[in-house]
Short mmCIF file of all heavy atoms in Angstrom, two decimals:
data_model
loop_
_atom_site.label_atom_id
_atom_site.label_comp_id
_atom_site.label_asym_id
_atom_site.label_seq_id
_atom_site.Cartn_x
_atom_site.Cartn_y
_atom_site.Cartn_z
N ASP A 1 -21.70 -57.36 -60.72
CA ASP A 1 -20.39 -57.89 -60.35
C ASP A 1 -19.96 -57.24 -59.04
O ASP A 1 -19.51 -56.09 -59.04
CB ASP A 1 -19.38 -57.60 -61.45
CG ASP A 1 -18.04 -58.29 -61.20
OD1 ASP A 1 -17.75 -58.59 -60.03
OD2 ASP A 1 -17.31 -58.54 -62.17
N PRO A 2 -20.11 -57.94 -57.91
CA PRO A 2 -19.76 -57.34 -56.62
C PRO A 2 -18.34 -56.80 -56.56
O PRO A 2 -18.10 -55.77 -55.94
CB PRO A 2 -19.95 -58.51 -55.64
CG PRO A 2 -20.94 -59.40 -56.30
CD PRO A 2 -20.65 -59.29 -57.78
N SER A 3 -17.39 -57.47 -57.21
CA SER A 3 -16.00 -57.03 -57.18
C SER A 3 -15.87 -55.64 -57.79
O SER A 3 -15.22 -54.75 -57.23
CB SER A 3 -15.11 -58.02 -57.94
OG SER A 3 -15.11 -59.27 -57.32
N LYS A 4 -16.50 -55.45 -58.95
CA LYS A 4 -16.42 -54.15 -59.61
C LYS A 4 -17.14 -53.08 -58.80
O LYS A 4 -16.66 -51.94 -58.70
CB LYS A 4 -17.03 -54.24 -61.02
CG LYS A 4 -16.22 -55.10 -61.98
CD LYS A 4 -16.87 -55.12 -63.36
CE LYS A 4 -16.05 -55.97 -64.32
NZ LYS A 4 -16.67 -56.02 -65.66
N MET A 5 -18.29 -53.42 -58.23
CA MET A 5 -19.04 -52.44 -57.47
C MET A 5 -18.32 -52.06 -56.19
O MET A 5 -18.35 -50.90 -55.77
CB MET A 5 -20.44 -52.99 -57.15
CG MET A 5 -21.33 -53.18 -58.38
SD MET A 5 -21.44 -51.70 -59.43
CE MET A 5 -22.17 -50.53 -58.28
N ILE A 6 -17.65 -53.02 -55.57
CA ILE A 6 -16.87 -52.71 -54.36
C ILE A 6 -15.75 -51.74 -54.70
O ILE A 6 -15.48 -50.79 -53.96
CB ILE A 6 -16.32 -54.01 -53.75
CG1 ILE A 6 -17.45 -54.79 -53.05
CG2 ILE A 6 -15.22 -53.70 -52.75
CD1 ILE A 6 -18.04 -54.07 -51.85
N GLU A 7 -15.08 -51.98 -55.82
CA GLU A 7 -14.00 -51.09 -56.24
C GLU A 7 -14.55 -49.69 -56.50
O GLU A 7 -13.93 -48.68 -56.13
CB GLU A 7 -13.32 -51.63 -57.51
CG GLU A 7 -12.51 -52.89 -57.30
CD GLU A 7 -11.24 -52.64 -56.51
OE1 GLU A 7 -10.93 -51.47 -56.20
OE2 GLU A 7 -10.55 -53.62 -56.17
N GLN A 8 -15.71 -49.62 -57.16
CA GLN A 8 -16.32 -48.32 -57.43
C GLN A 8 -16.70 -47.62 -56.14
O GLN A 8 -16.50 -46.41 -55.99
CB GLN A 8 -17.57 -48.50 -58.32
CG GLN A 8 -18.26 -47.20 -58.69
CD GLN A 8 -17.37 -46.26 -59.47
OE1 GLN A 8 -16.75 -46.66 -60.45
NE2 GLN A 8 -17.28 -45.01 -59.04
N TYR A 9 -17.25 -48.37 -55.21
CA TYR A 9 -17.64 -47.79 -53.93
C TYR A 9 -16.43 -47.26 -53.18
O TYR A 9 -16.47 -46.17 -52.59
CB TYR A 9 -18.35 -48.86 -53.09
CG TYR A 9 -18.81 -48.35 -51.74
CD1 TYR A 9 -19.68 -47.28 -51.64
CD2 TYR A 9 -18.35 -48.94 -50.56
CE1 TYR A 9 -20.09 -46.81 -50.40
CE2 TYR A 9 -18.75 -48.47 -49.33
CZ TYR A 9 -19.62 -47.41 -49.27
OH TYR A 9 -20.02 -46.94 -48.04
N MET A 10 -15.31 -47.98 -53.22
CA MET A 10 -14.11 -47.52 -52.56
C MET A 10 -13.57 -46.26 -53.22
O MET A 10 -13.08 -45.33 -52.55
CB MET A 10 -13.04 -48.61 -52.58
CG MET A 10 -13.38 -49.84 -51.76
SD MET A 10 -13.73 -49.47 -50.02
CE MET A 10 -12.14 -48.80 -49.48
N ARG A 11 -13.67 -46.18 -54.55
CA ARG A 11 -13.24 -44.96 -55.24
C ARG A 11 -14.11 -43.78 -54.83
O ARG A 11 -13.60 -42.67 -54.61
CB ARG A 11 -13.29 -45.15 -56.76
CG ARG A 11 -12.15 -46.02 -57.31
CD ARG A 11 -12.07 -45.92 -58.82
NE ARG A 11 -13.23 -46.51 -59.46
CZ ARG A 11 -13.30 -47.78 -59.84
NH1 ARG A 11 -12.27 -48.59 -59.61
NH2 ARG A 11 -14.38 -48.25 -60.42
N ASP A 12 -15.42 -44.02 -54.73
CA ASP A 12 -16.33 -42.95 -54.32
C ASP A 12 -16.01 -42.48 -52.90
O ASP A 12 -16.02 -41.27 -52.61
CB ASP A 12 -17.79 -43.43 -54.39
CG ASP A 12 -18.25 -43.67 -55.82
OD1 ASP A 12 -17.57 -43.16 -56.74
OD2 ASP A 12 -19.26 -44.35 -56.02
N LEU A 13 -15.74 -43.42 -52.02
CA LEU A 13 -15.42 -43.05 -50.64
C LEU A 13 -14.11 -42.28 -50.57
O LEU A 13 -13.98 -41.32 -49.80
CB LEU A 13 -15.32 -44.31 -49.77
CG LEU A 13 -16.63 -44.87 -49.22
CD1 LEU A 13 -16.34 -46.09 -48.35
CD2 LEU A 13 -17.38 -43.83 -48.40
N THR A 14 -13.14 -42.68 -51.38
CA THR A 14 -11.85 -41.97 -51.38
C THR A 14 -12.03 -40.54 -51.86
O THR A 14 -11.43 -39.61 -51.31
CB THR A 14 -10.85 -42.71 -52.28
OG1 THR A 14 -10.68 -44.06 -51.80
CG2 THR A 14 -9.49 -42.03 -52.27
N GLU A 15 -12.86 -40.37 -52.90
CA GLU A 15 -13.15 -39.01 -53.38
C GLU A 15 -13.88 -38.21 -52.30
O GLU A 15 -13.60 -37.01 -52.10
CB GLU A 15 -13.98 -39.07 -54.66
CG GLU A 15 -13.23 -39.65 -55.86
CD GLU A 15 -14.11 -39.80 -57.07
OE1 GLU A 15 -15.31 -39.42 -56.98
OE2 GLU A 15 -13.64 -40.29 -58.11
N SER A 16 -14.81 -38.85 -51.62
CA SER A 16 -15.55 -38.18 -50.56
C SER A 16 -14.62 -37.79 -49.42
O SER A 16 -14.78 -36.71 -48.82
CB SER A 16 -16.67 -39.09 -50.03
OG SER A 16 -17.61 -39.37 -51.05
N LEU A 17 -13.66 -38.66 -49.12
CA LEU A 17 -12.70 -38.36 -48.06
C LEU A 17 -11.91 -37.10 -48.40
O LEU A 17 -11.64 -36.26 -47.52
CB LEU A 17 -11.75 -39.53 -47.85
CG LEU A 17 -10.63 -39.31 -46.83
CD1 LEU A 17 -11.22 -38.99 -45.46
CD2 LEU A 17 -9.72 -40.54 -46.76
N ALA A 18 -11.53 -36.95 -49.67
CA ALA A 18 -10.79 -35.76 -50.08
C ALA A 18 -11.64 -34.51 -49.85
O ALA A 18 -11.13 -33.47 -49.38
CB ALA A 18 -10.39 -35.88 -51.55
N GLU A 19 -12.95 -34.59 -50.15
CA GLU A 19 -13.84 -33.45 -49.93
C GLU A 19 -13.99 -33.17 -48.44
O GLU A 19 -13.96 -32.00 -48.01
CB GLU A 19 -15.21 -33.73 -50.55
CG GLU A 19 -15.20 -33.86 -52.07
CD GLU A 19 -16.59 -34.12 -52.61
OE1 GLU A 19 -17.55 -33.50 -52.10
OE2 GLU A 19 -16.74 -34.94 -53.53
N VAL A 20 -14.15 -34.21 -47.66
CA VAL A 20 -14.30 -34.04 -46.22
C VAL A 20 -13.03 -33.44 -45.63
O VAL A 20 -13.07 -32.55 -44.76
CB VAL A 20 -14.62 -35.39 -45.54
CG1 VAL A 20 -14.53 -35.27 -44.02
CG2 VAL A 20 -16.02 -35.86 -45.94
N LYS A 21 -11.89 -33.91 -46.10
CA LYS A 21 -10.60 -33.41 -45.60
C LYS A 21 -10.48 -31.91 -45.89
O LYS A 21 -10.06 -31.12 -45.02
CB LYS A 21 -9.46 -34.18 -46.25
CG LYS A 21 -8.09 -33.92 -45.61
CD LYS A 21 -7.00 -34.66 -46.36
CE LYS A 21 -7.18 -36.15 -46.27
NZ LYS A 21 -6.95 -36.67 -44.90
N GLU A 22 -10.86 -31.51 -47.10
CA GLU A 22 -10.78 -30.10 -47.48
C GLU A 22 -11.72 -29.25 -46.63
O GLU A 22 -11.35 -28.18 -46.14
CB GLU A 22 -11.11 -29.95 -48.96
CG GLU A 22 -10.99 -28.52 -49.48
CD GLU A 22 -11.27 -28.42 -50.97
OE1 GLU A 22 -11.41 -29.47 -51.64
OE2 GLU A 22 -11.37 -27.28 -51.47
N SER A 23 -12.95 -29.73 -46.46
CA SER A 23 -13.92 -28.98 -45.65
C SER A 23 -13.50 -28.94 -44.18
O SER A 23 -13.68 -27.92 -43.50
CB SER A 23 -15.31 -29.61 -45.78
OG SER A 23 -15.79 -29.52 -47.11
N THR A 24 -12.96 -30.05 -43.70
CA THR A 24 -12.50 -30.09 -42.31
C THR A 24 -11.38 -29.09 -42.08
O THR A 24 -11.35 -28.38 -41.07
CB THR A 24 -12.02 -31.51 -41.94
OG1 THR A 24 -13.08 -32.43 -42.12
CG2 THR A 24 -11.55 -31.56 -40.49
N ALA A 25 -10.47 -29.02 -43.04
CA ALA A 25 -9.36 -28.07 -42.93
C ALA A 25 -9.90 -26.64 -42.89
O ALA A 25 -9.41 -25.79 -42.12
CB ALA A 25 -8.40 -28.24 -44.10
N ALA A 26 -10.93 -26.35 -43.73
CA ALA A 26 -11.50 -25.01 -43.76
C ALA A 26 -12.16 -24.67 -42.42
O ALA A 26 -12.02 -23.55 -41.90
CB ALA A 26 -12.52 -24.90 -44.89
#
């Protein structure tokens, strides 16, 4: 189901962004 997978991918990217933001701040 592309719709569900796209949503999952966006959630993964959002989580990754939080990690990148934290590391960037450090």
Side-chain angles (χ1 to χ4, degrees):
D1 188 336
S3 296
K4 292 181 180 179
M5 293 308 299
I6 286 295
E7 291 290 354
Q8 181 61 50
Y9 180 59
M10 293 303 297
R11 285 193 293 269
D12 292 344
L13 276 181
T14 302
E15 292 175 2
S16 297
L17 176 60
E19 295 181 40
V20 170
K21 191 184 296 292
E22 183 178 352
S23 296
T24 301

